[in-house]
């Protein structure tokens, strides 16, 4: 069905199918297969960290993509926190959602969202897959955590709405995610299919509250999740469920924008059926724009197009369903601002923070009395135990915390003076008694990793000068978090450095 018949219907249908696809690619320049498909009508691309080197390079890349197809959607995962693509080489200069929720200043949340949008608009991106509006109900959540504004649905809702509105005022479209709610999971949907087995009343009172707020705020797109919710659909994950997307999202919640899938290369979506079949099922369920993955190929796109064409020809997928999705995607792209002319200056991308702003971030930290007492009597930090855990795929390998901040710091700090001892699942801790000075243990979600718990317990067994700094989402009992920062962006790293510096200065000044 890819040929052209006497009415051109075949070619038109191929163009509509292509318009629903949003692949990724490797490298800093668009490969010819991407540009060729864009000229044929490809809906757009999704950019990832390896596609970004500098603001100038990104703007030039986006200009080339939009030249090939002026109606191309240029999407990116820029959440303004641990998940960053614009700042993948150095960590994001924003606090992240969990800290914004803890500060609970809607004006600050709007200011951060606006700064994210301005940076994206300056480089020619048109959609960001943000905000994350999941209610992080499970502290063991391996994939959401500090990406969430919090565990209170009403708090998450008001910040989601403000973030969405402020971002879209810059001309960049928002994408509230991950519908209908990924916060109460203990499985990473990149790797398997999570199940959220809770009553419908809980879903309506918790998970759906922020989505209602984001929709009321005018979110142009909603991203689906690859999770199974038996109370809504016992067989299909949300991305592939007509009941969840049509009856709930379109019907009950009244959303009429673009429904975009989370990446279909994730096991929660395609682990059973493969990506081409997942694409067919996602379109049939009501999705409009299919995010395919991070490193796709012309061959993969051809397989997906062929699978959709076959599904239409055999009656599994109504042709009108595809045309409807393509029209929504084109309408979204038609409202996009053009790629700015000239070079994108780094100064226009990265906000600067003064002492007052850093102080507000530090004020959002949760600090135990034990941590305060031990830091108050610390003349110096002798050892930093850096706990390296495997980051989920959404976060990737972007620099994090004080280690990101130290790389770009204008002046030395205690971190540069201390000995850093790396600890991971492969490399355990050296003899705790041999470590010098006060010991700071810095990691993310420390309670979720057996090797991290073991390292902390072995230190605490022989030392009374250990302070743990958890830059993820701590356990409810805070057993392994003397200091909880609720985020690991570069800005949070700068705040940790300043927090410890202040404590050391105070210790030295105390007789």
């Amino acid at each position: 069905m890819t040929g052209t018949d006497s009415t051109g219907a075949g070619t038109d249908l191929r163009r509509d199918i292509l318009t629903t696809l949003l692949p990724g690619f490797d490298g800093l320049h668009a490969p010819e297969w991407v540009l060729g498909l864009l000229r044929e009508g490809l809906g757009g691309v999704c950019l990832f960290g390896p596609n970004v080197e500098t603001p100038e390079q990104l703007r030039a890349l986006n200009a080339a993509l939009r030249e090939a197809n002026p109606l191309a959607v240029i999407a990116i995962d820029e959440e303004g926190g641990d998940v960053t693509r614009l700042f993948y080489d150095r960590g994001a200069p924003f606090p992240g959602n969990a800290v914004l929720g803890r500060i609970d200043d809607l004006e600050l949340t709007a200011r951060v969202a606006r700064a994210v949008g301005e940076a994206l608009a300056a480089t020619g991106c048109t959609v960001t897959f943000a905000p994350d509006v999941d209610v992080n109900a499970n502290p063991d959540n391996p994939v959401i955590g500090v990406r969430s504004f919090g565990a209170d649905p009403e708090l998450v809702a008001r910040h989601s709405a403000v973030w969405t509105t402020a971002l879209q005022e810059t001309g960049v479209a928002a994408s509230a995610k991950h519908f209908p709610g990924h916060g109460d999971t203990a499985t990473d949907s990149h790797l398997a299919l999570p199940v959220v087995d809770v009553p419908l009343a809980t879903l309506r009172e918790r998970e759906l509250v922020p989505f209602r707020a984001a929709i009321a705020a005018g979110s142009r797109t909603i991203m689906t999740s690859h999770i199974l919710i038996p109370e809504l659909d016992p067989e299909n994950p949300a991305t592939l469920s007509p009941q969840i997307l049509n009856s709930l999202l379109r019907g009950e919640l009244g959303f009429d924008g673009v429904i975009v899938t989370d990446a279909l290369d994730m096991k929660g979506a395609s682990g059973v059926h493969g990506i081409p079949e997942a694409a067919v099922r996602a379109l049939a369920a009501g999705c409009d724009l299919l995010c395919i993955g991070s490193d796709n190929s012309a061959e993969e796109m051809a397989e997906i197009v062929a699978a959709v064409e076959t599904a239409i020809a055999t009656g599994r997928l109504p042709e009108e369903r595809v045309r409807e999705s393509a029209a929504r995607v084109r309408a979204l792209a038609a409202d996009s601002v053009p790629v700015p002319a000239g070079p994108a200056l780094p100064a226009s991308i990265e906000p600067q923070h003064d002492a007052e702003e850093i102080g507000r971030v530090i004020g959002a930290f949760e600090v135990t009395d034990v941590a305060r007492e031990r830091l108050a009597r610390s003349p110096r930090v002798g050892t930093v135990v850096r706990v390296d855990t495997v980051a989920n795929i959404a976060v990737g390998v972007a620099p994090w915390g004080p280690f990101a901040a130290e790389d770009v710091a204008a002046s030395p700090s205690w971190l540069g003076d201390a000995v850093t001892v790396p600890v991971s699942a492969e490399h355990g801790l050296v003899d705790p008694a041999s470590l010098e000075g006060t010991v700071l243990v810095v990691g993310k979600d420390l309670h979720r990793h057996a090797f991290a718990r073991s390292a902390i317990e072995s230190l605490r067994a022989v030392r009374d000068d250990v302070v743990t700094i958890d830059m993820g989402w701590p356990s409810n009992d805070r057993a392994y978090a003397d200091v909880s920062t609720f985020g690991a962006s570069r800005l949070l790293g700068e705040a940790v450095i300043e927090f410890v510096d202040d404590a050391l200065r105070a210790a030295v000044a105390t007789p």
Side-chain angles (χ1 to χ4, degrees):
M1 294 186 65
T2 56
T4 304
D5 59 23
S6 60
T7 64
T11 299
D12 288 346
L13 179 57
R14 174 179 168 80
R15 175 174 289 272
D16 283 342
I17 294 170
L18 285 172
T19 299
T20 68
L21 305 183
L22 192 75
F25 58 87
D26 189 32
L28 303 176
H29 306 281
E32 184 53 43
W33 70 263
V34 170
L35 297 176
L37 288 178
L38 284 170
R39 296 183 193 105
E40 288 189 67
L42 183 69
V45 300
C46 184
L47 300 176
F48 293 86
N51 299 125
V52 181
E53 183 177 57
T54 65
E56 293 88 347
Q57 168 267 328
L58 180 57
R59 184 184 283 186
L61 169 61
N62 289 341
L65 296 170
R66 292 285 287 278
E67 181 180 6
N69 180 0
L71 291 181
V73 171
I74 301 176
I76 193 167
D77 269 308
E78 183 55 57
E79 296 181 7
D82 283 28
V83 174
T84 183
R85 303 293 180 254
L86 285 182
F87 307 96
Y88 196 65
D89 63 331
R90 57 196 186 280
F94 305 110
N97 284 0
V99 172
L100 291 174
R102 288 179 63 78
I103 296 174
D104 199 12
D105 179 345
L106 296 180
E107 183 179 342
L108 174 62
T109 295
R111 189 158 69 245
V112 169
R114 197 170 293 112
V116 170
E118 289 170 353
L120 292 170
T123 53
C125 298
T126 66
V127 176
T128 184
F129 292 140
D132 188 314
V133 308
D134 298 306
V135 178
N136 198 63
N138 188 342
D140 292 331
N141 198 317
V143 69
I144 304 301
V146 299
R147 301 166 66 189
S148 166
F149 288 109
D152 174 11
E154 294 298 335
L155 179 144
V156 175
R158 61 178 177 265
H159 286 273
S160 298
V162 166
W163 209 99
T164 297
T165 298
L167 173 89
Q168 294 192 155
E169 287 173 350
T170 69
V172 176
S175 189
K177 63 186 185 185
H178 305 80
F179 188 83
H182 210 313
D184 192 12
T185 58
T187 302
D188 186 344
S189 54
H190 293 88
L191 309 175
L193 178 62
V195 177
V196 178
D197 196 3
V198 297
L200 288 178
T202 300
L203 289 169
R204 289 192 169 94
E205 295 167 3
R206 187 177 66 186
E207 272 74 15
L208 297 185
V209 173
F211 284 100
R212 290 185 186 276
I215 291 169
S219 183
R220 298 295 307 279
T221 82
I222 298 285
M223 176 177 277
T224 65
S225 62
H226 308 323
I227 62 175
L228 189 70
I229 304 178
E231 286 292 324
L232 292 174
D233 187 332
E235 297 180 358
N236 301 299
T239 299
L240 311 181
S241 171
Q243 294 94 318
I244 293 175
L245 301 185
N246 288 324
S247 300
L248 181 59
L249 181 54
R250 293 286 189 208
E252 183 177 326
L253 272 62
F255 180 66
D256 61 2
V258 171
I259 299 177
V260 58
T261 71
D262 207 344
L264 293 182
D265 63 353
M266 295 165 62
K267 296 302 182 183
S270 57
V272 175
H273 307 291
I275 295 175
E277 176 64 14
V280 170
R281 292 179 179 229
L283 285 169
C287 294
D288 301 307
L289 185 59
L290 312 183
C291 182
I292 308 302
S294 59
D295 186 12
N296 302 122
S297 66
E299 292 74 21
E300 287 177 303
M301 294 304 103
E303 290 176 4
I304 293 170
V305 170
V308 174
E309 289 176 331
T310 299
I312 293 172
T314 57
R316 290 184 58 210
L317 176 63
E319 182 175 323
E320 184 55 36
R321 171 80 275 281
V322 176
R323 297 199 185 280
E324 176 186 53
S325 290
R328 284 199 184 101
V329 174
R330 291 186 189 114
L332 173 69
D335 289 340
S336 302
V337 296
V339 179
L345 301 177
S348 68
I349 306 300
E350 181 146 352
Q352 302 301 310
H353 304 283
D354 58 24
E356 180 181 354
E357 291 172 308
I358 294 291
R360 293 193 76 185
V361 171
I362 293 174
F365 291 177
E366 187 177 293
V367 185
T368 65
D369 291 339
V370 168
R372 294 187 190 279
E373 185 273 327
R374 290 181 175 176
L375 290 173
R377 57 180 168 84
S378 300
R380 70 185 183 93
V381 174
T383 305
V384 175
V385 176
R386 171 176 173 159
V387 180
D388 284 309
T389 53
V390 177
N392 68 66
I393 294 172
V395 173
V397 296
W400 60 276
F403 313 106
E406 182 72 5
D407 289 342
V408 297
S411 58
S413 72
W414 55 268
L415 184 58
D417 295 335
V419 175
T420 298
V421 178
V423 176
S424 67
E426 293 77 27
H427 302 287
L429 185 65
V430 299
D431 178 15
S434 70
L435 304 181
E436 297 183 358
T438 295
V439 177
L440 296 188
V441 181
V442 185
K444 296 185 283 186
D445 300 342
L446 293 170
H447 70 285
R448 291 200 304 105
H449 306 279
F451 79 89
R453 297 194 302 270
S454 177
I456 292 169
E457 289 162 1
S458 67
L459 284 167
R460 287 174 171 173
V462 298
R463 307 183 66 104
D464 66 353
D465 59 353
V466 177
V467 176
T468 59
I469 301 179
D470 193 331
M471 303 198 72
W473 192 285
S475 59
N476 288 338
D477 62 8
R478 308 299 195 257
Y480 297 92
D482 299 324
V483 179
S484 303
T485 68
F486 293 89
S489 70
R490 174 160 47 93
L491 175 60
L492 268 292
E494 294 173 15
V496 164
I497 290 175
E498 185 64 25
F499 167 75
V500 176
D501 270 343
D502 287 345
L504 296 177
R505 284 192 290 266
V508 171
T510 301

